[in-house]
Amino acid sequence: MVCGLGITFDGVASALQISDELLSSIANEGLPLTRLVLQACGGYSYSGIFCLLSKCRHIPHLDLQGAAFLTDKHVVELSLFLGDLVSINLTCCKLLTIYAFFALIKSCPSLSDINMGNTSIGIKSLESSKSLMDFTPRPQLKYLRLAGNQWLTDENITMLASISPNLQLLDLTSCWGIEEGISQVLRMCCNIRHLNLAFCSKVKLLEMNFEVPKLKVLNLSYTNVDDETLYVISKSRRGLLQLSLKDCTNVTEKGMEHLVENCMQLRLIK
């Protein structure tokens, strides 16, 4: 359906099939698109999306979730048409690695919201790919969602944090390789308000004994957090509004007491 200047084809529930011909016909109309959503749609290929984006070069919001055919090379090419991009969703584009991430932040100066969950960021070593990366800080990047990237390591996330000093949201759900790097991330990104570490079973939080004054929402569900960790958090995260501790079996009543006593602004514990 066409909604104003945005076009949405939502295939999440219906497995909607669209064609390259349809995308080409939209491109030929020359519409000033502000949003293109092809979430979980099938039937189209790189040729179709290339045709559309090469002719509609001012799209701020792009959702290609589930476009399994996309490669790093494709994203490098498409990024050249996306100078006005503000947000992009590439969730479940399994062939994409850190190369695609850097291509986007290099070519899209206004990009503030990147969702690359369930991709292959981290699968290539940083040493082998540093020559292709741009480590210039990107203060405009504020929302980074990397859930389900099982190859992410501490080195990966600290590198990403070093170029994203103004991050406000970081989603690392089910990034199983993360252990101690999260402390470095929080030191570098002092504007983080929402941090999701659910299912990060190896994450170590005892070194988080420093202030992160703007952190409001913290999800530690299904981690190994215990009473000692909660004590450290309660002393250094006094501004927390919401804390998720679902299935944290090492937390006892004593740990909860630390939270209640020290986090006076806390409004919700899940």
Side-chain angles (χ1 to χ4, degrees):
M1 64 178 173
V2 179
C3 305
L5 298 179
I7 295 182
T8 300
F9 297 98
D10 188 349
V12 174
S14 59
L16 183 65
Q17 298 291 302
I18 62 175
S19 66
D20 288 340
E21 289 73 19
L22 175 58
L23 295 179
S24 296
S25 66
I26 294 172
N28 291 331
E29 291 296 322
L31 298 174
L33 297 180
T34 59
R35 184 179 301 272
L36 177 65
V37 180
L38 302 179
Q39 187 174 138
C41 294
Y44 72 101
S45 71
Y46 177 64
S47 295
I49 196 63
F50 180 91
C51 178
L52 178 55
L53 295 181
S54 65
K55 294 182 179 180
C56 301
R57 298 192 175 200
H58 302 286
I59 295 179
H61 305 285
L62 180 62
D63 187 337
L64 298 177
Q65 177 176 327
F69 56 81
L70 280 179
T71 67
D72 289 339
K73 182 180 179 181
H74 291 154
V75 173
V76 170
E77 293 173 346
L78 294 177
S79 67
L80 300 178
F81 309 136
L82 299 172
D84 293 335
L85 196 65
V86 174
S87 69
I88 189 167
N89 183 4
L90 296 171
T91 303
C92 295
C93 297
K94 296 285 190 176
L95 300 179
L96 301 184
T97 72
I98 194 72
Y99 295 160
F101 174 87
F102 275 98
L104 288 167
I105 64 170
K106 181 178 181 179
S107 298
C108 310
S110 299
L111 188 56
S112 65
D113 189 340
I114 299 177
N115 189 340
M116 290 186 68
N118 291 292
T119 57
S120 293
I121 288 184
I123 200 170
K124 295 183 178 180
S125 71
L126 291 180
E127 282 303 320
S128 66
S129 54
K130 280 183 178 178
S131 62
L132 299 177
M133 296 180 184
D134 180 355
F135 292 94
T136 305
R138 293 303 194 275
Q140 76 278 9
L141 185 56
K142 296 181 180 179
Y143 308 96
L144 184 56
R145 299 171 173 85
L146 301 174
N149 279 285
Q150 57 185 305
W151 294 283
L152 268 182
T153 64
D154 290 339
E155 185 183 10
N156 296 145
I157 62 168
T158 53
M159 179 272 293
L160 293 174
S162 70
I163 62 172
S164 313
N166 289 332
L167 274 185
Q168 295 182 15
L169 180 149
L170 180 60
D171 185 357
L172 298 173
T173 302
S174 297
C175 293
W176 304 325
I178 296 173
E179 298 183 31
E180 300 176 350
I182 197 63
S183 294
Q184 290 178 269
V185 170
L186 291 174
R187 289 184 186 278
M188 290 185 283
C189 303
C190 57
N191 291 318
I192 285 185
R193 299 175 60 86
H194 190 141
L195 177 62
N196 194 336
L197 297 172
F199 294 97
C200 294
S201 57
K202 297 180 182 179
V203 71
K204 299 176 182 178
L205 302 173
L206 284 177
E207 294 184 4
M208 291 172 53
N209 56 351
F210 54 90
E211 291 289 335
V212 184
K214 296 185 180 181
L215 186 62
K216 301 299 181 184
V217 180
L218 178 60
N219 190 342
L220 298 176
S221 298
Y222 300 96
T223 66
N224 292 320
V225 63
D226 56 16
D227 290 346
E228 184 180 3
T229 306
L230 283 187
Y231 178 74
V232 171
I233 290 174
S234 70
K235 286 292 188 179
S236 57
R237 310 289 183 275
R238 297 177 184 270
L240 275 180
L241 298 178
Q242 180 176 318
L243 179 63
S244 298
L245 296 169
K246 187 175 181 180
D247 207 39
C248 292
T249 55
N250 295 322
V251 172
T252 70
E253 184 176 339
K254 182 179 180 180
M256 299 303 290
E257 288 176 355
H258 290 319
L259 284 173
V260 174
E261 291 173 1
N262 296 311
C263 299
M264 303 299 292
Q265 298 183 48
L266 196 60
R267 294 293 178 265
L268 179 62
I269 301 177
K270 294 183 180 180

